Amino acid sequence: MQITKRQEKILQIIVEQYAFTAQPISSQEIISEHLDDISSATVRNEMVILEKKGLLEKTHTSSGRIPSVDAYKYYEANILKPKINNDVKKKLKKIFALRDLSIDTVIDQSISIINESLKLPSVISSTVNIESLKRFDLIQISADTALIIIVTSSGEIIKNEITLDNASQLADVSTCIRIFNDRLLDTPIKDVSNKLSSIKEIIRTAVHEYEFCIQQIFEKIFSFNTNNSQKRTVVGTKYLTAQPEFRNIEKLNEALGFLENTNVWKHISYNQSKTGKTLITFGRDFGINDIAVASTNIDVGDESNRQISIVGPTRMDYNYVKGLLDFVKEELEAKGGKK
C-alpha cells in the first residue's frame, strides 16, 4: 500500500499516541503536540484519505480516529523500531548472568520482569522436536468428504477432514498422500517445513488441481498440525484487566478463550518456525477483535524450542514489545550456545 510521507507521519502519530491513551486521536491533538507547521484542515483531509485506504477507523463516540489492524500491519512493516527500557534491560541482564540457572528458569524469571514492565500477560511454549512423521492415510467418508490421518512416532493420531467437489480432487489427494509417504516418513516434525517447498513442486506436476491441494492439504494440515508436542504456560493473566479493552466481562472472556485456543498457538508456532523472527499475530484473523500476540522463538541448541509470546490489546506498544523480545532472544540464544 502506497501512502505519502506526511500520511505515514500522521499514521505513526496516531498509532503511537493511541497505544498510550486508548482514546481516539483528533486532528487538533496531532497538530498541538506533533505537527504545528500544517493546518488542521490539511491534517483532517489526510486522515480522511487514510480512512478511505482502510488504515484509520472512526468511532461512534468521538470525532477522532483510531488505527485499524491494517494500520498496525503497515506500521510493523514500515515504521516500527524496536526499543527497550534501560532499567528493564539491566534487570534482565542480571538474570542472564546467573550461569547456574537453567534456560527454563531464566525464561520464567525474565517473564516476571517483562509482565510487570508491560502490564501484559505472557505465554511460554515449549515444543519437543524429536517427534517424527510415521504414516499418512486417506479414508473416503462420503462422496464429498475424506479423512486424512497422520500418525507420529509418539503414537499420536491426527485426523483432518477435507471437502471434495469432484472425483478428480479425491484422486489428487490420493496422489499427495502417496508422495507424503514417499518423501516425509521418518522426517522430524521440526524439519517438515523445510521439505515442503520441494514437495510442492513435485505435487504441482502430479495433480490436476494444484491450488485445491495447497489450500486443503498443505495449509489446512501442515499449518496447524506439525507441532503437536507443545506445552504452554500462561503467566500474568491478572494484567488483562489493567487494559481498558478487557474490563468488559464479555471481552475478558474472549481474551481468556483466545489464550486457551490450541489452534491459535499451533498457527503461531508454525509461522514462527518459518520466519525465525519476532512475529505479530492479530486476533482478527481468528475472529476475535482487540487482541494481538507478539512472539519469538528461542533456539538454545537442545531438543526443544521455547517460544515467548506477549498477549495484549491490538494497540500495544510494538516498539517496546518487539525490543524486549528481540533482546531476550539474542541473550538467551547466546547463553544457550546458539550462534
Side-chain angles (χ1 to χ4, degrees), residues 3-8 10-11 14 27 30 35 38-53 55-56 65:
I3 62 176
T4 67
K5 288 294 183 183
R6 184 162 66 190
Q7 289 165 359
E8 183 173 280
I10 291 171
L11 184 67
I14 292 173
S27 58
I30 293 172
L35 295 176
I38 59 177
S39 69
S40 178
T42 299
V43 173
R44 283 198 300 271
N45 287 338
E46 297 286 33
M47 290 169 74
V48 168
I49 293 171
L50 290 170
E51 186 177 354
K52 289 180 178 178
K53 289 179 177 289
L55 295 173
L56 294 182
R65 305 295 197 280

Side-chain angles (χ1 to χ4, degrees), residues 110-310:
S110 300
I111 286 298
S112 295
I113 294 172
I114 291 171
N115 285 359
E116 179 59 31
S117 174
L118 294 172
K119 296 294 188 289
L120 295 173
S122 300
V123 177
I124 306 169
S125 306
S126 60
T127 304
V128 178
N129 291 327
I130 57 175
E131 191 167 19
S132 59
L133 299 173
K134 301 305 292 184
R135 185 174 179 82
F136 292 85
D137 279 316
L138 175 67
I139 299 174
Q140 186 175 4
I141 300 173
S142 65
D144 60 357
T145 309
L147 194 66
I148 294 177
I149 298 174
I150 304 172
V151 182
T152 71
S153 58
S154 69
E156 183 165 3
I157 298 174
I158 305 159
K159 300 177 182 178
N160 296 273
E161 188 175 295
I162 61 172
T163 302
L164 306 166
D165 293 329
N166 52 61
S168 176
Q169 289 180 348
L170 180 63
D172 282 349
V173 176
S174 297
T175 298
C176 290
I177 295 300
R178 175 179 55 78
I179 292 172
F180 294 157
N181 278 316
D182 288 343
R183 301 277 176 164
L184 289 178
L185 292 196
D186 296 321
T187 298
I189 287 178
K190 67 183 181 67
D191 296 332
V192 168
S193 60
N194 294 330
K195 284 194 172 185
L196 291 183
S197 294
S198 61
I199 290 176
K200 284 181 181 179
E201 292 308 308
I202 295 170
I203 286 176
R204 186 189 295 274
T205 62
V207 300
H208 295 91
E209 295 187 41
Y210 175 71
E211 290 303 322
F212 165 79
C213 291
I214 293 300
Q215 292 173 4
Q216 283 288 319
I217 300 177
F218 280 86
E219 293 181 6
K220 190 171 183 179
I221 296 174
F222 292 114
S223 291
F224 294 95
N225 290 311
T226 55
N227 277 320
N228 290 287
S229 300
Q230 188 181 74
K231 177 184 176 182
R232 291 192 315 279
T233 304
V234 182
V235 184
T237 52
K238 65 180 181 181
Y239 291 112
L240 281 175
T241 54
Q243 308 300 326
E245 288 87 345
F246 307 127
R247 288 174 188 161
N248 174 289
I249 188 65
E250 184 177 341
K251 286 291 186 181
L252 178 61
N253 285 335
E254 275 191 352
L256 292 172
F258 182 86
L259 288 170
E260 296 172 358
N261 189 325
T262 300
N263 280 341
V264 168
W265 297 104
K266 286 185 177 180
H267 177 90
I268 291 173
S269 182
Y270 175 76
N271 286 338
Q272 191 82 66
S273 70
K274 294 191 296 183
T275 67
K277 300 178 180 179
T278 298
L279 178 74
I280 296 173
T281 303
F282 295 95
R284 186 187 68 175
D285 297 335
F286 300 92
I288 302 175
N289 294 322
D290 299 324
I291 195 166
V293 179
S295 56
T296 196
N297 264 2
I298 298 170
D299 186 350
V300 295
D302 60 10
E303 292 296 339
S304 63
N305 279 340
R306 283 79 165 176
Q307 179 179 284
I308 297 177
S309 302
I310 308 297

